[in-house]
Structure formats: C-alpha cells, structure tokens
Amino acid sequence: MQLNHCANRLAPAHFETVVELLRSQLGFVLLRRTERAVWLRQPGANVDLQFSRSPTANRDADKLRSQVAFLSETPKEALEALAAWCKAHGLEAEVGAYSDREFYLDAPAAFVDFVIEAMRPELADYGVEM
C-alpha cells in the first residue's frame, strides 16, 4: 500500500473559510469536492489532505497532538500571519508553542480534531535514507 491522503474534520460553519485559507495563503489546489468533503494538495507534495464537514459540537481536548504540519524557516511568524488572516475573515485563531522551534495554530471554532503546526526544517531531518 502507498500513502495517499490524511483526513481531518472541520466545523461546517467555517469549512469554506479554512479551505480558502489553505488555497490563498498556502497555495493548495482543490483536487475534488463533494457535498461534505474536499481533497487538497500543495504543489510539490505527494500526500493530499481531505477535510470533511463535521457537526461535532465538542472538540477533542487532546487535539494538540494531532497536527497538519508544515516546515518553515520562521514557523511562529508564518502561523501568526495565518492567524491574522483568519481573524480578518471572522475566525478566531491563536498561536501556541510546543518548543522554541515548533508552533501551532488553533482555530477552536473550526478545527475539530487537529491544529496546524509549523516547525523549523531541521526537525524534519531524520537522517533516514529513502
């Protein structure tokens, strides 16, 4: 088997806002859309993201351990820019830190079971030959 995509859940009220965030701010391309889900890909990536509309009212208390993760030379600043975009589009968002090299963005009203993480590239240098 070969990895194809990862799926996460979004609140219906903010579904289109998050899709637009990913498309306009991170360059994702829409691959497929159904009534309840979208599949997106960032150019150059080989794993897709699927987001489904979820009516779940209670958010996962441990969702900080479930991320859609990105690499950035300036991870905190990159997430702060996304948070500002969210706020300008009516979606409250906050940036937190796992460490001085790993940060996360949470939009509690939209992200049901995940946060967006940004980390320094050296954290993804695992030293594994592929």
Side-chain angles (χ1 to χ4, degrees), residues 58-70:
N58 60 327
R59 298 297 183 244
D60 185 339
D62 195 31
K63 73 178 181 175
L64 293 183
R65 299 211 180 276
S66 180
Q67 311 96 10
V68 173
F70 295 89

Side-chain angles (χ1 to χ4, degrees), residues 44-119:
N46 62 359
V47 175
D48 303 331
L49 294 178
Q50 175 189 345
F51 290 100
S52 297
R53 296 174 198 266
S54 174
T56 300
N58 60 327
R59 298 297 183 244
D60 185 339
D62 195 31
K63 73 178 181 175
L64 293 183
R65 299 211 180 276
S66 180
Q67 311 96 10
V68 173
F70 295 89
L71 300 176
S72 172
E73 292 291 339
T74 56
K76 183 177 182 185
E77 293 81 0
L79 292 178
E80 287 172 342
L82 294 181
W85 186 96
C86 287
K87 290 174 185 173
H89 290 83
L91 180 58
E92 284 302 313
E94 55 195 34
V95 174
Y98 296 118
S99 73
D100 63 345
R101 300 181 299 167
E102 306 163 283
F103 300 86
Y104 65 87
L105 169 75
D106 190 11
F111 302 164
V112 175
D113 58 352
F114 72 100
V115 295
I116 293 178
E117 178 183 17
M119 61 186 195

Side-chain angles (χ1 to χ4, degrees), residues 24-44:
S24 69
Q25 302 304 299
L26 296 174
F28 276 79
V29 175
L30 179 66
L31 300 174
R32 180 175 168 221
R33 179 185 283 271
T34 66
E35 185 176 320
R36 58 173 265 251
V38 295
W39 287 257
L40 302 159
R41 181 179 299 161
Q42 197 174 39

Side-chain angles (χ1 to χ4, degrees), residues 122-130:
E122 65 267 15
L123 293 174
D125 185 7
Y126 304 117
V128 177
E129 301 269 339
M130 298 295 226

